Amino acid sequence: QVQLVESGGGSVQAGGSLRLSCAASGDTGSTHCMGWFRQVAGKQREWVSSITTGGTTDYSDSVKGRFTISQDSAENTLYLQMNSLKPEDTAMYSCAADPAILHCYVAPGRRDTVPFRYWGQGTQVTVSS
């Protein structure tokens, strides 16, 4: 089992920055793909970014060039640096992890529904105009 706890959310003005953290505990060595998702109430969950244990990263077109995913293996922590935030980035952000590295290589049209095994509780990000 793996437990994930996000932090770092908050309220910022458009153009601002936030860094989200996701602290992992438990059998962290079993996970090979980690990702960030976001969801607005009443809408479908949206994949944001993912990273493999080897450091291969990928981003949705909506955040590419503004967000950076990274990981600190020694601290078992996943990060999402979010710059140039826009009001449309407002959402609940959750981190996810899975043993299957293939979860990080799913075709773009299917990434929103990848069945990650472990999920955090989420942290709210609100961007005002």
Side-chain angles (χ1 to χ4, degrees):
Q1 290 290 321
V2 175
Q3 295 77 42
L4 303 173
V5 179
E6 302 95 335
S7 61
S11 297
V12 295
Q13 290 191 327
S17 298
L18 283 174
R19 188 176 80 156
L20 305 184
S21 299
C22 173
S25 60
D27 189 17
T28 57
S30 68
T31 58
H32 300 288
C33 175
M34 296 192 75
W36 287 99
F37 290 77
R38 64 188 182 186
Q39 188 168 21
V40 177
K43 295 188 176 181
Q44 184 179 346
R45 184 181 66 207
E46 177 188 9
W47 169 80
V48 175
S49 180
S50 59
I51 186 169
T52 68
T53 48
T56 299
T57 60
D58 203 358
Y59 301 90
S60 69
D61 289 342
S62 62
V63 307
K64 195 172 296 182
R66 300 187 298 121
F67 291 11
T68 302
I69 191 171
S70 63
Q71 59 191 354
D72 184 331
S73 299
E75 296 293 330
N76 291 320
T77 302
L78 178 73
Y79 300 101
L80 185 69
Q81 177 66 44
M82 305 186 296
N83 298 327
S84 302
L85 282 161
K86 304 175 181 180
E88 52 263 44
D89 294 319
T90 295
M92 180 71 75
Y93 284 71
S94 299
C95 66
D98 197 275
I101 194 170
L102 289 179
H103 279 19
C104 279
Y105 295 100
V106 172
R110 296 175 52 212
R111 287 172 180 169
D112 293 341
T113 56
V114 174
F116 278 77
R117 182 176 299 183
Y118 306 111
W119 291 86
Q121 83 290 350
T123 185
Q124 178 68 36
V125 171
T126 303
V127 184
S128 59
S129 58

